[in-house]
Amino acid sequence: MPLSYAGQMVEHEAVRTRVGLFDLSHMGEFALSGSGALEFVDRLITNDLSRKEVGGIVYSPMCRPDGGIVDDVLAYRKADSVYLVVNAANIVKDRDWVRTNAPAGVTIDDVSEETALLAIQGPMAEAMVKPFTGAWISDLAYYHFREFDWDGVPVLISRTGYTGEDGFELFFDRRHGAAVWERLQEAGRAFELAPIGLAARDTLRLEVGYCLYGNDIDDTTTPLEAGLQWTVKLDKSDFLGKAALVAQKEAGLKRKLMGLSIDKPGMIARGGMAVQVNGDVAGRVTSGTMSPTLRKSIAMAYVPIGSAKPGSMVQVDIRGRLADAVVQRLPFYLEGTRKT
């Protein structure tokens, strides 16, 4: 996946207004099967896949016993197995973690190398895919999937994405990768489909406040600190990290991942820059960019809980110059709207 095909701004705008095509085949996929696979996954993740029907998907952190995040994953509930989609940089780490914790009777197959993954994202995504899926695609709910045959190619299609727009992700045998890419390019001509690179993918996900593993979340952060409490089902009987997260919730958070907005022209917050509160360094920017949609600098950072109230003011050290930043809840952008 290149940094860009035709330029970051052009590609970002294409996804926000029309439709874009992403090659995400670098991502990892594990197939878990056998007796107790569903129960094992629910012990592995903080969310609750068992509450989903077959065909349902959950987004979830996967935590260590101390509450630190091993990775954030998507879990797909199939009739007799579970499909996990993991971050590309964490494939080996996650595979070792899953296999180390798996009980007898559960088989973990790493199918990453044999799986292609393409994403179609944007307000015109459904209209574009309908000719080759059929009318049923309109009934496919958000965070659900279906398997179908596309002219001899078995495809799993899910209504998921990393952009904040409507869209779909297609999983299939990588031997068909080039042919499917070309067919999608052809199908997208009428919608002015654009291939999208990593640079636009990053600005798109940051506008909607989606975490990037290794930047915004990692082994040293917990889901509660990262604002992912909605993925943590503390009413489940047990899962890895539950005791630590219960204790953290009872003790109270000391920091929280929040959005930062800078209106001063020319001042752009970037990852690693220091965040100051009352003249003291209180944290660092985890992700930051100039928002193509909002036309201003946006960032995410862990700030002390006392400064995490929306509307609070902090400062970001941008190459030796302090820029005022307003703390706000995520996301910065909502589908079809411009949240300021």
Side-chain angles (χ1 to χ4, degrees):
M1 189 177 184
L3 195 61
S4 69
Y5 293 87
Q8 178 182 359
M9 297 293 286
V10 171
E11 294 168 21
H12 185 107
E13 184 70 11
V15 176
R16 287 281 179 254
T17 61
R18 303 187 309 279
V19 62
L21 176 62
F22 301 72
D23 181 0
L24 306 177
S25 300
H26 56 286
M27 297 291 282
E29 296 86 16
F30 304 156
L32 285 73
S33 59
S35 175
L38 177 61
E39 292 77 8
F40 167 56
V41 169
D42 268 334
R43 183 174 178 275
L44 201 63
I45 64 176
T46 64
N47 212 325
D48 194 345
L49 185 60
S50 66
R51 297 182 186 180
K52 286 281 189 177
E53 69 279 14
V54 172
I57 307 165
V58 297
Y59 166 79
S60 181
M62 183 167 61
C63 289
R64 297 187 182 281
D66 65 2
I69 302 173
V70 177
D71 200 2
D72 58 331
V73 306
L74 290 182
Y76 290 59
R77 183 175 180 178
K78 294 190 172 187
D80 54 1
S81 62
V82 177
Y83 198 61
L84 287 183
V85 181
V86 306
N87 284 297
N90 290 342
I91 292 174
V92 174
K93 168 188 167 184
D94 289 356
R95 184 179 63 216
D96 291 345
W97 180 256
V98 174
R99 287 179 173 170
T100 297
N101 287 283
V106 174
T107 300
I108 298 98
D109 292 317
D110 181 353
V111 295
S112 306
E113 287 297 318
E114 60 205 63
T115 304
L117 169 56
L118 302 180
I120 303 161
Q121 300 284 299
M124 298 181 181
E126 182 181 307
M128 180 188 147
V129 303
K130 188 175 290 186
F132 63 81
T133 61
W136 55 262
I137 197 68
S138 297
D139 297 323
L140 186 65
Y142 188 50
Y143 266 62
H144 285 74
F145 71 92
R146 179 167 169 173
E147 295 177 273
F148 74 106
D149 185 278
W150 186 16
D151 294 340
V153 179
V155 176
L156 184 156
I157 185 170
S158 61
R159 199 162 207 146
T160 49
Y162 197 49
T163 66
E165 301 294 340
D166 189 20
F168 305 90
E169 294 180 313
L170 285 69
F171 301 82
F172 53 92
D173 191 309
R174 68 179 305 157
R175 291 175 297 179
H176 302 289
V180 172
W181 174 271
E182 290 171 3
R183 291 188 68 180
L184 290 173
Q185 289 266 53
E186 181 61 32
R189 290 186 190 281
F191 303 93
E192 297 182 67
L193 172 79
I196 312 298
L198 281 169
R201 185 171 183 245
D202 194 52
T203 52
L204 288 161
R205 69 91 189 169
L206 184 49
E207 285 186 344
V208 290
Y210 290 166
C211 292
L212 175 63
Y213 193 89
N215 287 45
D216 312 302
I217 54 176
D218 57 29
D219 297 272
T220 70
T221 61
T222 74
L224 302 183
E225 294 172 330
L228 299 174
Q229 62 278 353
W230 59 274
T231 69
V232 180
K233 308 304 182 185
L234 294 177
D235 57 342
K236 286 201 304 183
S237 59
D238 195 22
F239 59 84
L240 290 171
K242 179 179 178 179
L245 295 177
V246 168
Q248 185 179 56
K249 182 178 180 180
E250 291 176 348
L253 296 177
K254 295 181 179 180
R255 63 175 184 166
K256 190 173 182 181
L257 186 67
M258 299 294 292
L260 303 181
S261 177
I262 299 174
D263 288 318
K264 190 173 183 179
M267 301 292 273
I268 304 175
R270 302 291 187 185
M273 291 181 173
V275 177
Q276 295 188 12
V277 176
N278 298 324
D280 296 321
V281 175
R284 294 195 176 273
V285 172
T286 57
S287 293
T289 192
M290 170 59 72
S291 166
T293 304
L294 304 177
R295 309 294 184 187
K296 63 181 179 180
S297 175
I298 60 173
M300 293 196 290
Y302 285 93
V303 299
I305 201 66
S307 300
K309 183 178 179 181
S312 298
M313 190 73 71
V314 299
Q315 288 75 43
V316 179
D317 186 340
I318 301 178
R319 298 179 298 279
R321 298 170 59 195
L322 293 180
D324 289 336
V326 179
V327 176
Q328 67 177 83
R329 291 190 179 91
L330 299 168
F332 300 100
Y333 167 90
L334 298 172
E335 181 183 348
T337 68
R338 293 171 187 254
K339 179 183 177 183
T340 59

